[in-house]
Amino acid sequence: MKWGLPWPGPALAAQAEAAGAGAFCAGEFADLSAYVTATEMAHETSTAMIGPGIAYAFARSPFVHAASVRHLSRHAADRVFLGLGSGTARMNRDWFGVDAARPASRMAELIEVIRAFLQAENGEPVRYRGEFYTIDADIRAPVLGRLEVPILVGAFNKIMLRTVGRVADGVLGHGLFTDRWWTEMVEPELARGAESTGRDAADLLRWGWLITAIDDDDPPRAVRDARMQIAFYLTVKTYDSLVEMHGWQDQVAAIRRAFRSGQPDTIADHVTDDMLWSIAICGSTEQACEMLAARKRLPDLAFVSPPSFLVGRRRRADYDAAAIRVASQLP
């Protein structure tokens, strides 16, 4: 298994890159831009792939995504990838003020338009006419030229996974993905999407996040933090299809009741050992290695990701350092 990290900062990134990290990714939120963080990554690394993972797809125009990727590529030639996520309907409507109806179809067009900008030669107009985007860009400045950048999508459910198979270069799996979800949901739907456009699903990238909390000084706390992160993710109904596949409906109902009660620190109480071992890598180094060995279907490149819900920066940095030590010993 190849591995990488969500951006841990320059010092830890240098250690990780020296230990064999293959990629760094950058998420975003109200106070964090994936492209700004990716710029720091471009300047502070030399061999690993770098890129948004994920950037909110519909919060920016295709032009802005493509221009940002071109700019990044000047600082990290041949090392840039673009990870896109649709975000929730509420976020798009209430946070970004954009229309995100029919997100899978919109994502497919967005990717096609970004590629049109990235593959245009100097002097060649960029034209696209679709349901969601109409582009007629005659860019006279000599700033174009074909640029190959992998575009991955943070896809979870059937329709978006099929969209990945149809038009994207790969999937960027969620931290909740289990072996069963990869095998019984992700792979079949990627194949269906790829077949619909005459593509070979074997050519697609399978990257993903892996919740990782290792602490030999306090293994129970690391386990608790991993449970907390799993529970926090499962407060979102988007992931109900995974819950139903595994039969975790009662536990998730309890998690959501606890979360609504105003006691978010209790939601971890309802994450069972089965849920924990199916999703996370955590506890002592010995237990984490045992959990890793027990997994049968991990992403081809896993971003070993420390829990963030109710976990401070210093402890996340400690988890990053421990994850680097364990990941560097992987075959």
Side-chain angles (χ1 to χ4, degrees):
M1 181 188 76
K2 295 181 181 178
W3 62 280
L5 289 167
W7 183 240
L12 279 173
Q15 295 178 31
E17 201 170 32
F24 297 100
C25 65
E28 59 185 358
F29 198 59
D31 61 345
L32 192 67
S33 165
Y35 284 113
V36 173
T37 306
T39 302
E40 181 181 355
M41 295 191 293
H43 287 294
E44 298 291 345
T45 61
S46 58
T47 59
M49 297 286 289
I50 60 102
I54 59 172
Y56 293 125
F58 309 136
R60 302 173 177 88
S61 71
F63 174 89
V64 171
H65 283 299
S68 300
V69 167
R70 283 192 178 276
H71 198 162
L72 278 173
S73 293
R74 289 209 297 270
H75 300 286
D78 301 319
R79 295 197 292 123
V80 175
F81 67 89
L82 172 57
L84 297 171
S86 62
T88 66
R90 181 178 62 84
M91 291 172 67
N92 281 286
R93 182 190 64 240
D94 298 344
W95 295 18
F96 311 148
V98 298
D99 184 6
R102 298 177 57 215
S105 297
R106 191 179 297 269
M107 181 71 77
E109 279 199 12
L110 176 70
I111 291 170
E112 290 173 347
V113 181
I114 292 171
R115 282 217 186 96
F117 276 111
L118 294 179
Q119 294 175 358
E121 299 288 356
N122 282 315
E124 176 185 331
V126 180
R127 295 194 173 98
Y128 184 92
R129 183 171 294 276
E131 181 179 356
F132 305 102
Y133 298 100
T134 298
I135 303 294
D136 187 0
D138 189 1
I139 301 171
R140 298 302 180 95
V143 295
L144 301 183
R146 191 176 186 89
L147 185 63
E148 297 293 342
V149 172
I151 300 177
L152 298 92
V153 176
F156 197 96
N157 288 308
K158 288 183 177 180
I159 303 303
M160 194 64 80
L161 286 166
R162 291 176 191 171
T163 300
V164 172
R166 287 194 298 110
V167 300
D169 296 302
V171 63
L172 189 52
H174 194 279
L176 286 175
F177 279 19
T178 63
D179 290 356
R180 283 190 66 186
W181 194 254
W182 276 107
T183 302
E184 298 179 27
M185 174 62 76
V186 178
E187 292 298 343
E189 299 306 332
L190 289 179
R192 288 187 180 96
E195 289 167 4
S196 71
T197 52
R199 306 173 79 202
D200 187 348
D203 295 333
L204 298 172
L205 300 172
R206 278 98 165 152
W207 294 5
W209 287 53
L210 184 62
I211 299 171
T212 307
I214 303 168
D215 185 348
D216 287 325
D217 293 328
D218 194 349
R221 184 173 70 173
V223 170
R224 180 77 178 178
D225 285 341
R227 291 185 194 272
M228 190 76 74
Q229 187 66 49
I230 292 168
F232 178 66
Y233 281 148
L234 290 174
T235 62
V236 180
K237 292 185 177 181
T238 300
Y239 311 129
D240 280 355
S241 49
L242 179 144
V243 172
E244 292 166 7
M245 175 184 285
H246 287 277
W248 295 336
Q249 294 94 323
D250 291 345
Q251 293 90 339
V252 170
I255 287 169
R256 292 174 182 173
R257 285 194 300 270
F259 193 69
R260 290 193 301 268
S261 74
Q263 296 179 305
D265 57 326
T266 68
I267 59 177
D269 297 343
H270 307 289
V271 175
T272 65
D273 286 348
D274 176 47
M275 298 166 75
L276 185 73
W277 280 68
S278 295
I279 294 171
I281 306 298
C282 60
S284 66
T285 297
E286 181 180 3
Q287 177 173 298
C289 290
E290 184 181 352
M291 296 173 86
L292 192 61
R295 294 290 295 270
K296 304 303 181 186
R297 180 59 182 89
L298 289 164
D300 297 331
L301 189 151
F303 290 103
V304 287
S305 173
S308 58
F309 182 63
L310 300 183
V311 177
R313 291 183 180 180
R314 181 177 298 177
R315 194 147 86 245
R316 292 202 302 272
D318 290 341
Y319 287 147
D320 280 329
I324 292 168
R325 289 194 298 272
V326 171
S328 65
Q329 299 174 28
L330 294 175

